[in-house]
Amino acid sequence: MQRADDERLAPQRVALAYPGQPGGPAAEAVEMAAKESQFELDAARLRVVVDVRAARSADEAKTMLQQLAKAGAAGVVLDLPAGWITAAAPTVAMPLINAGESAETLRQEGCRPHLFHTLPGERMRADALAQALLARRWTRVLLLHGSSADDAARLAQVQAALKRYRLTPVAVKAFKLSADPRERDLANPLLLTGIAAGGEYDAVWVVDSDGEFARTLPYRTALPRPVVGDAGLSAQAWAPRFERYGAPQLERRFSRTAHRPMTGFDWAAYMAAKALLQAALEQAAGPNAAQVLKALSRPDFTLDGFKGVRLGFRAWDRQLRQPLLLTDGVAVVGSAPAEGVMHPKNVLDTLGTDAAESACKAGL
C-alpha cells in the first residue's frame, strides 16, 4: 500500500537523486520479489496476488487495510507516512511491513507486535555514521540542521548517536533556505562552518530532510573537512554500486525490471515482500495472516539480504537487523557496524535502539 500523488516521486525531485530519497514506486520491487519466488510458489501450489493500493489519507489507509484483512490478505507492505501507519496499524491484526518510513516513533512508542520494518530507522543510520566517524577518529562534529519537524526529530537521533559513541558536537547550527535577501546568510556554508561556529571540527554532519541545502555543502565548508549525513558520506540500506555478496546480480535484475538503479527504499520493499513470501511458503497448507505473523516473529526466521549475513527481525521493535552501507553516492566506501564495535549478543544491534533502552517491547 502506497500514498497517492506521492510528492517524493515527482519527476523533478527524483531527477535530483538526493541521498536517502526514493527513486520510484516501491511496488516495482514487490512485484520483482513475487516473480522471483514463482518457482517455489508453484511447487507449493500457492498463488500470490500483488494488489497495489494507493491511499490519500490516514482514514483511507485505515479503510483499505480493514478491507484487505476482511478479504483474507496474508500481509501488507506499507509505503506510507508515519502518522498514517500509526493511525491505521492498530485496526488490523495481520502482519504489516513498513518499507518506506524511517521515523523512530514507529519503532518506539508507536510500535505494534504485528508491525515490522525493513527500512532502517533514523537511529540506525545515525549510529552507522557515528561509528564511521569514530573509526576514523573524526571525533569533533559540527552539526547543521534544517527547521522542519522532521529535521528536529532526526537531529535528536543524531545527537543520541554522538552521545553513545562519545563524539563531541562542537556546535549545533540551524540553516534556513529563504527567498528573502535579508536571510541569505542563514544558508551560507562559509558562515555556518567558520571557526566562530564553535571551534575546530573534524567533520560536518548535515541534517536536511528536504535535501536541497545539503547538496550544496560538500567542498564549500570554511575548513577542508568531510561532510556526512544527508550529503557527502551517508548510511543507506542499499547502494547501486555495492559489489559483494551477490549484490551486483540483484542490482542488475532490478535495473532490468524498473529501468533505474535500486535505492534503499526499493531494497526495503523487496525484502518486505520476500519476508512475507518466505513466511507463507513455510506453511504446509494455504497460509493465513496469523500463520505468517507467527513465522515472521520466530527468533530463527532469517532472510538473505545480499549483505553477507543472515537478517532477522528484532524481538522488541520488529526492526530488521542489517548492516548499512556507507556511500558517497558514487561508490560504497565501507559498511557498519564498523570493525571493532562490540555487543554482548549481536553486533548488528549496535545500530539502532537496543533492547534495554527501547520504549517498545512489541514482541517481548
Side-chain angles (χ1 to χ4, degrees):
M1 182 180 296
Q2 60 194 20
R3 67 195 85 180
D5 302 323
D6 191 343
E7 62 184 15
R8 302 172 306 163
L9 302 183
Q12 62 271 25
R13 181 171 180 80
V14 170
L16 294 171
Y18 293 142
Q21 302 284 347
E28 294 173 332
V30 172
E31 290 166 352
M32 175 177 140
K35 183 178 180 180
E36 289 186 354
S37 300
Q38 195 59 54
F39 179 81
E40 291 87 350
L41 293 168
D42 289 344
R45 297 183 180 181
L46 292 178
R47 186 172 71 93
V48 169
V49 176
V50 179
D51 183 1
V52 180
R53 300 198 179 190
R56 298 183 180 277
S57 66
D59 288 339
E60 193 171 354
K62 185 189 306 183
T63 300
M64 288 181 177
L65 282 181
Q66 292 170 340
Q67 291 171 346
L68 289 169
K70 188 175 181 180
V76 180
V77 178
L78 300 177
D79 183 13
L80 299 174
W84 297 15
I85 296 175
T86 299
T91 65
V92 296
M94 62 183 172
L96 308 174
I97 304 187
N98 163 38
E101 179 56 74
S102 60
E104 284 299 310
T105 53
L106 296 175
R107 297 156 175 83
Q108 296 299 314
E109 60 270 16
C111 69
R112 297 284 170 177
H114 62 293
L115 177 60
F116 298 79
H117 312 274
T118 50
L119 189 71
E122 287 299 334
R123 179 62 188 273
M124 292 179 69
R125 295 178 62 197
D127 281 335
L129 281 177
Q131 289 183 17
L133 294 180
L134 181 64
R136 291 160 175 78
R137 298 183 181 178
W138 298 340
T139 59
R140 299 169 299 177
V141 182
L142 171 61
L143 283 174
L144 303 182
H145 65 92
S147 57
S148 71
D150 286 343
D151 288 335
R154 296 178 62 224
L155 175 64
Q157 300 305 322
V158 171
Q159 291 171 316
L162 294 180
K163 182 177 179 180
R164 170 184 277 182
Y165 292 102
R166 298 182 181 179
L167 303 177
T168 303
V170 299
V172 181
K173 301 282 288 184
F175 63 82
K176 181 181 180 181
L177 291 175
S178 173
D180 188 337
R182 294 169 297 181
E183 296 181 323
R184 188 176 297 135
D185 289 348
L186 299 179
N188 186 318
L190 289 176
L191 294 178
L192 289 166
T193 61
I195 292 294
E200 277 277 0
Y201 51 88
D202 301 312
V204 180
W205 192 321
V206 59
V207 179
D208 181 14
S209 300
D210 178 69
E212 181 62 24
F213 170 79
R215 74 185 181 93
T216 69
L217 194 59
Y219 308 107
R220 296 184 66 195
T221 57
L223 299 180
R225 300 292 186 267
V227 174
V228 305
D230 288 322
L233 186 68
S234 64
Q236 305 293 342
W238 190 256
R241 293 172 181 84
F242 188 41
E243 297 179 350
R244 302 183 66 186
Y245 311 122
Q249 289 78 12
L250 176 64
E251 180 65 34
R252 285 196 292 269
R253 294 198 303 271
F254 182 80
S255 181
R256 287 195 298 266
T257 297
H259 307 290
R260 58 182 176 84
M262 177 177 261
T263 68
F265 289 86
D266 299 315
W267 181 88
Y270 175 83
M271 294 305 299
K274 294 289 281 188
L276 290 174
L277 291 167
Q278 182 173 310
L281 286 166
E282 290 184 3
Q283 314 308 316
N288 57 40
Q291 291 171 324
V292 170
L293 177 59
K294 184 177 180 180
L296 292 172
S297 304
R298 287 201 331 266
D300 62 345
F301 181 85
T302 60
L303 298 162
D304 178 11
F306 301 89
K307 293 186 179 184
V309 296
R310 300 293 295 182
L311 313 179
F313 293 102
R314 291 172 179 154
W316 58 93
D317 60 3
R318 305 305 201 192
Q319 171 66 54
L320 185 68
R321 288 185 177 98
Q322 58 184 282
L324 296 187
L325 306 181
L326 303 175
T327 176
D328 62 354
V330 177
V332 174
V333 299
S335 64
E339 185 176 354
V341 175
M342 306 293 288
H343 188 276
K345 293 183 178 180
N346 189 328
V347 70
L348 292 177
D349 289 338
T350 62
L351 302 179
T353 306
D354 207 352
E357 58 185 347
S358 177
C360 177
K361 307 296 180 185
L364 298 179

